[in-house]
Amino acid sequence: MLDLADVRMFVYRRFAERGCPPSPEEVAAAFGTGPEEALEALRALHEAHLLVLDGERRRIVMAHPWSAVPLGFVVASSGVKWWGGCAWDSFAIPALVGEPCLVATHCPGCGRALALDVCPDTPPALPLAAHFLVPIPRMWDDVVFACANQSLFCSEEHVGRWLRETRYPRGVLLDMRTLWLLATRWYAGRLTREYRRRTPDEARALFRSLGLSGPFWGEEHDPAPPPAAPGGRPAAPPVTDDIGISPLYIGQGVQRGKWQWLG
């Protein structure tokens, strides 16, 4: 079997350098193997929460902090443009690539276009608000839905407006400095071969160092399940369907409780 660390590095560096993931065929060619062996390696990385495959387990959808499908954020450096998986992910990309980037999105509360410069070494100073809807321990129940609902808003007032319209429960709010610190520290080392996922205790320690504590951040067992839109179904994130993705069930291969909740 292929070395999973090597395959992970190949996928992540392809995202970083070109803005899109490799196909299984490209993975196979890079390592001199067949497509099925390449798919086996990608599926093992999916099960380990080191990337996300589509419902058929044949295409790479996400390798956090990058996304292969639009989830509401565009991140652009001087030479490459990416889809960021969410506010958290989008703020991490500049530090990973070592270059200031423009992060663009829309406020869900009013539809206004938001664009801000995010630097590798300085948090942005704009008075925007980030809202995370799904508790951290439940993110991998449907990782794309969770990411699609980690958003930037013009203000806390606009968060409240959006919550009233959607009838979602309030999640947590972060200012831009806290969001930037969370993103840059969480993803530090992601582009190195030595990277390993944090244990739950390590993750909670990082969250606490930023003043983030309580059930939402995994400090109690059995947090509330992800919210549902009116009618009982999660709201579909705004992704395209040109590669056969089912937005509600991209995370269907992740069995609840089977894996640690960290990504």
Side-chain angles (χ1 to χ4, degrees):
M1 183 175 179
L2 295 175
D3 187 297
L4 295 184
D6 289 340
V7 176
R8 183 189 68 81
M9 283 296 298
F10 178 75
V11 171
Y12 275 66
R13 291 203 173 277
R14 178 63 63 90
F15 254 123
E17 294 167 2
R18 301 190 183 183
C20 59
S23 66
E25 292 76 16
E26 289 173 314
V27 174
F31 291 94
T33 189
E36 286 306 313
E37 186 174 358
L39 270 175
E40 182 181 354
L42 294 176
R43 288 165 180 165
L45 291 169
H46 170 92
E47 293 293 341
H49 290 182
L50 290 167
L51 52 79
V52 180
L53 300 180
D54 65 5
E56 296 182 354
R57 304 285 193 90
R58 301 195 67 86
R59 300 287 295 273
I60 298 170
V61 176
M62 301 180 76
H64 292 88
W66 291 285
S67 174
V69 296
L71 289 173
F73 284 84
V74 175
V75 182
S77 70
S78 60
V80 186
K81 182 171 65 177
W82 304 274
W83 281 318
C86 56
W88 184 346
D89 290 349
S90 297
F91 270 45
I93 291 173
L96 282 178
V97 301
E99 186 176 347
C101 295
L102 178 69
V103 174
T105 186
H106 287 82
C107 171
C110 69
R112 173 190 168 197
L114 302 175
L116 60 161
D117 294 314
V118 180
C119 298
D121 53 2
T122 307
L126 292 178
L128 303 177
H131 180 264
F132 290 7
L133 182 66
V134 179
I136 300 303
R138 305 307 294 260
M139 283 182 58
W140 282 89
D141 287 358
D142 188 331
V143 66
V144 174
F145 175 76
C147 287
N149 286 282
Q150 293 181 351
S151 307
L152 291 185
F153 291 79
C154 295
S155 65
E156 184 174 353
E157 177 185 356
H158 285 204
V159 175
R161 177 190 303 174
W162 179 74
L163 292 174
R164 288 190 296 273
E165 291 174 352
T166 60
R167 289 189 278 172
Y168 283 141
R170 185 183 178 99
V172 297
L173 288 172
L174 287 77
D175 59 41
M176 294 300 95
R177 180 178 184 276
T178 303
L179 176 64
W180 182 86
L181 289 171
L182 172 64
T184 53
R185 293 180 184 180
W186 182 262
Y187 282 107
R190 185 62 63 104
L191 285 178
T192 66
R193 195 179 188 281
E194 295 72 29
Y195 169 80
R196 65 171 180 82
R197 291 170 55 206
R198 289 177 178 81
T199 66
D201 285 343
E202 290 170 339
R204 286 188 285 265
L206 173 59
F207 297 150
R208 285 194 297 269
S209 74
L210 300 175
L212 306 173
S213 61
F216 190 96
W217 299 97
E219 291 200 338
E220 292 184 7
H221 297 295
D222 195 23
R233 296 183 63 194
V239 301
T240 58
D241 60 0
D242 58 334
I243 58 173
I245 294 171
S246 173
L248 300 179
Y249 300 109
I250 284 179
Q252 63 185 332
V254 182
Q255 297 179 20
R256 185 172 299 174
K258 182 177 178 181
W259 299 99
Q260 294 176 351
W261 43 265
L262 300 176

